[in-house]
């Protein structure tokens, strides 16, 4: 939000891969654009669609399997994900087929509000059942006395068998590195904003609402740990059914139905966003580049919409394959995090370093996945690695996160080395990109060339990267403090909650001022 949203909005592109036409120019840009579009759909969209389908299955059928009973359950095969798909796919297709992006956007807001309300009700019921936050914390201590400190604490605990400091750090890196340097489905929201300032707000409010959602969804699971303590150290596939068990345990029938409907619709809306943007990307950045003179791909031709709809079905079919061949959501996330992370630093580099060229891109996009999958084959053969991974299922996940971090480091070293030993793009291409995109970072030679041309009025202010990063760090600290305050309050640690809550308020106010200052420098035309 602080470093990229404004610039993406100002570029005037319709999809992320269209960026490469401006950044690299020439004939190579078409190849990069096509490959990037296919990579985004295959690696970042199809697997997450499959994960969404699997998530719906894990939430719904543990509940409905009980409701259907021992007679009807096997008859209808509710343990089979195929039943889940038969229920959701027809609605899913109709959802995006008819409404497109506008329908997805409107229903996103409605569904988010409903699920927030349902989960706030769930949190209240859990606290009411145990007699308040302090009593809930006591129940957790009684149920899991050895792990109570790590469960109720505010920080990742060393030696944690599920989410220790190293895994938490790995997720922080994988979820941050490269973000913003390319866009996928969030580009739909950025490109459709009325102003650059609104584009930045999309990222901020998106992050804030996501963290709020995570708080109200995860905090009530303390009640489940207290009542079913064996769930705490269960395998990943079993732990992922915890939310459905929690809903079944605490919500009355009417509210349970509303929560499940909202949850299903919310997951489906996320899937629809991927389907909608994926089809748009394939049409705009693959088919139109490979078949530039075909009339039925013209944006004014109604047949182009049908092409997009058919491509949507192809993407959805890929998601079905992923859902059928996966057992754990965390397994999908670790693989995708490592695969995306292996190339992610290039996404920052292409914005922040003028020397990045086609060969840099090729080294990252071809070398990154090769490094990642090579490490997955080599490292597990090492005796030390095997010993660590075999300690538990969670330990295996930890080693998977470590592998992803090693892949990021090696791939970054690869593409930076290639960049240093190859020539940059043509100066005229770089100057045109700098004027249009106004990138931050190390663009000194390009900026000086424009100054020599007398085009100083087209240059952005200096120091935007440092200032924007500082404001982004304040924003991250604000959201983190707010999350920890909520969790400490739910666990009866009122002193810690008060301190963290006060810090969250102060950091939130500081972020608001920093946001106005930074966006005012980036987009002075709509700073008010």
């Amino acid at each position: 939000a602080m470093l990229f949203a404004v610039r993406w909005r100002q570029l005037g592109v319709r999809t992320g891969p269209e960026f490469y036409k401006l950044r690299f120019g020439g004939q190579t840009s078409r190849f990069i654009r096509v490959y990037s579009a296919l990579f985004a759909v295959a690696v970042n969209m199809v697997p997450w669609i499959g994960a969404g389908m699997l998530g719906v299955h894990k939430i719904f059928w543990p509940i409905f399997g009980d409701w259907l009973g021992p007679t009807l359950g096997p008859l209808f095969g509710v343990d089979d994900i195929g039943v889940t798909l038969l229920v959701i796919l027809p609605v899913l297709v109709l959802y995006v087929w008819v409404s497109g992006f506008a329908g997805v956007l409107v229903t996103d807001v409605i569904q988010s509000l409903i699920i927030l309300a349902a989960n706030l009700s769930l949190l209240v019921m859990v606290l009411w059942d145990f007699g308040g936050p302090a009593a809930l914390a006591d129940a957790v201590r009684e149920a899991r006395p050895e792990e109570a400190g790590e469960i109720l604490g505010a920080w990742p605990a060393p030696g944690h068998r599920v989410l220790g400091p190293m895994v938490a750090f790995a997720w922080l890196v994988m979820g941050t590195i490269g973000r913003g340097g390319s866009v996928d489905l969030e580009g739909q929201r950025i490109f459709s904003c009325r102003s650059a300032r609104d584009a930045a707000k999309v990222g901020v409010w998106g992050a804030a609402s996501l963290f709020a959602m995570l708080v109200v969804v995860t905090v009530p699971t303390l009640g489940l740990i207290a009542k079913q303590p064996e769930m705490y150290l269960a395998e990943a596939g079993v732990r992922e059914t915890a939310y459905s068990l929690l809903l079944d345990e605490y919500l009355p029938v009417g509210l349970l139905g509303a929560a499940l409907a909202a949850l299903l619709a919310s997951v489906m809306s996320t899937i629809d966003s991927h389907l909608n943007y994926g089809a748009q990307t394939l049409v705009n950045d693959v088919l139109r580049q490979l078949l530039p003179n075909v009339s039925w791909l013209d944006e004014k031709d109604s047949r182009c919409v049908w092409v997009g709809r058919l491509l949507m079905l192809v993407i959805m079919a890929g998601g079905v394959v992923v859902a059928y061949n996966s057992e754990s959501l965390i397994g999908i996330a670790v693989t995708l995090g490592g695969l995306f992370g292996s190339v992610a630093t290039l996404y920052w580099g292409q914005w922040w370093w003028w020397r990045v060229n086609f060969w840099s891109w090729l080294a990252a996009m071809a070398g990154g996945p090769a490094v990642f999958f090579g490490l997955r084959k080599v490292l597990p053969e090492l005796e030390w690695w095997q010993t660590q991974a075999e300690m538990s299922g969670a330990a295996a996940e930890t080693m998977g996160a470590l592998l992803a971090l090693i892949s990021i480091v090696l791939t970054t070293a690869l593409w930076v080395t290639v960049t240093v030993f190859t020539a940059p793009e043509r100066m005229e291409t770089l100057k045109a990109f700098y004027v249009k995109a106004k990138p931050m970072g190390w663009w000194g030679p390009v900026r000086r060339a424009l100054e020599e041309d007398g085009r100083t009025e087209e240059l952005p202010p200096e120091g935007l990267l440092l200032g924007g990063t500082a404001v982004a760090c304040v924003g991250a600290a604000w959201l983190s403090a707010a999350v920890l305050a909520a969790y400490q309050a739910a666990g009866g640690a009122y002193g810690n909650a008060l301190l963290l809550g006060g810090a969250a308020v102060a950091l939130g106010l500081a972020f608001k001022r920093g946001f106005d200052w930074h966006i005012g420098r980036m987009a002075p035309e709509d700073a008010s």
Side-chain angles (χ1 to χ4, degrees), residues 114 118 253-263:
I114 294 174
V253 172
L255 194 56
L256 175 61
L260 290 174
L263 185 64

Side-chain angles (χ1 to χ4, degrees), residues 146-147 191 525:
E146 295 183 3
E147 299 90 2
F191 302 147
E525 68 276 6

Side-chain angles (χ1 to χ4, degrees), residues 121-176:
S121 301
L122 175 63
L123 176 58
V124 171
M125 290 180 179
V126 171
L127 294 175
W128 181 271
D129 182 45
F130 283 91
L136 174 59
D138 290 339
V140 171
R141 294 187 185 98
E142 183 178 349
R144 305 291 314 194
E146 295 183 3
E147 299 90 2
E150 65 187 36
I151 294 172
L152 298 171
W155 310 102
H160 197 292
R161 282 161 285 184
V162 178
L163 191 66
M166 187 176 72
V167 180
F169 176 74
W171 279 113
L172 173 65
V173 172
M174 288 191 295
T176 303

Side-chain angles (χ1 to χ4, degrees), residues 346-365:
L346 176 78
Y347 295 144
W348 279 355
Q350 64 193 12
W351 276 91
W352 293 346
W353 190 18
W354 73 283
R355 284 293 308 273
V356 169
N357 56 31
F358 167 75
W359 301 108
S360 314
W361 175 89
L362 187 62
M365 297 301 291

Side-chain angles (χ1 to χ4, degrees), residues 469-521:
T469 301
V471 175
C473 289
V474 173
W478 156 51
L479 288 181
S480 299
V483 168
L484 293 175
Y487 191 74
Q488 290 294 282
Y494 300 120
N496 291 343
L498 186 61
L499 289 174
L500 288 165
V505 171
L507 288 165
L509 293 173
F511 174 76
K512 173 63 169 60
R513 295 193 64 176
F515 178 91
D516 292 337
W517 166 76
H518 180 64
I519 300 302
R521 298 181 71 210

Side-chain angles (χ1 to χ4, degrees), residues 285-475:
D285 300 301
V286 178
L287 292 184
R288 284 179 179 160
Q289 306 311 307
L290 299 178
L291 305 170
N293 299 317
V294 174
S295 60
W296 43 267
L297 289 176
D298 189 278
E299 60 186 25
K300 297 180 181 179
D301 194 317
S302 61
R303 292 176 295 177
C304 185
V305 176
W306 284 97
V307 173
R309 287 171 172 171
L310 293 176
L311 289 173
M312 178 192 72
L313 296 180
V314 173
I315 296 170
M316 187 173 66
V320 171
V321 172
V322 171
Y324 258 107
N325 290 278
S326 302
E327 296 181 359
S328 169
L329 296 172
I330 192 70
I332 297 175
V334 168
T335 300
L336 292 183
L339 190 56
F340 176 84
S342 66
V343 302
T345 52
L346 176 78
Y347 295 144
W348 279 355
Q350 64 193 12
W351 276 91
W352 293 346
W353 190 18
W354 73 283
R355 284 293 308 273
V356 169
N357 56 31
F358 167 75
W359 301 108
S360 314
W361 175 89
L362 187 62
M365 297 301 291
V371 168
F372 177 70
F373 286 114
L375 290 174
R376 289 188 66 175
K377 187 173 182 63
V378 172
L379 291 181
E381 298 297 324
L382 302 178
E383 183 178 351
W384 176 82
W385 195 278
Q386 291 177 2
T387 301
Q388 298 299 315
E390 290 172 358
M391 292 176 62
S392 67
E397 295 165 9
T398 300
M399 301 310 291
L402 177 60
L403 186 150
L405 288 179
I406 297 173
S407 177
I408 291 173
V409 173
L410 293 179
T411 306
T412 302
L414 173 64
W415 73 255
V416 168
T417 301
V418 170
T419 302
V420 171
F421 286 98
T422 55
E425 298 295 330
R426 293 173 57 252
M427 182 56 71
E428 290 305 314
T429 299
L430 294 174
K431 288 195 293 185
F433 175 77
Y434 190 85
V435 169
K436 189 171 183 63
K438 297 179 173 58
M440 310 173 200
W442 294 271
W443 286 79
V446 180
R447 188 181 180 96
R448 286 191 293 272
L450 287 167
E451 289 174 346
E452 291 173 2
D453 293 343
R455 301 169 66 180
T456 54
E457 73 283 353
E458 300 177 88
L459 304 180
E462 297 189 73
L464 289 176
L465 179 57
L466 182 61
T469 301
V471 175
C473 289
V474 173

Side-chain angles (χ1 to χ4, degrees), residues 208-249:
S209 62
L210 175 61
F211 275 89
M213 186 81 71
L214 291 174
V215 167
V216 298
V217 167
T218 57
V219 169
T221 58
L222 291 174
L224 188 66
I225 292 175
K227 289 199 171 184
Q228 299 187 35
E230 69 280 359
M231 288 292 293
Y232 182 62
L233 293 179
E235 292 300 315
V238 177
R239 292 201 312 271
E240 289 166 3
T241 66
Y243 185 69
S244 62
L245 297 175
L246 191 68
L247 293 177
D248 192 28
E249 177 77 23

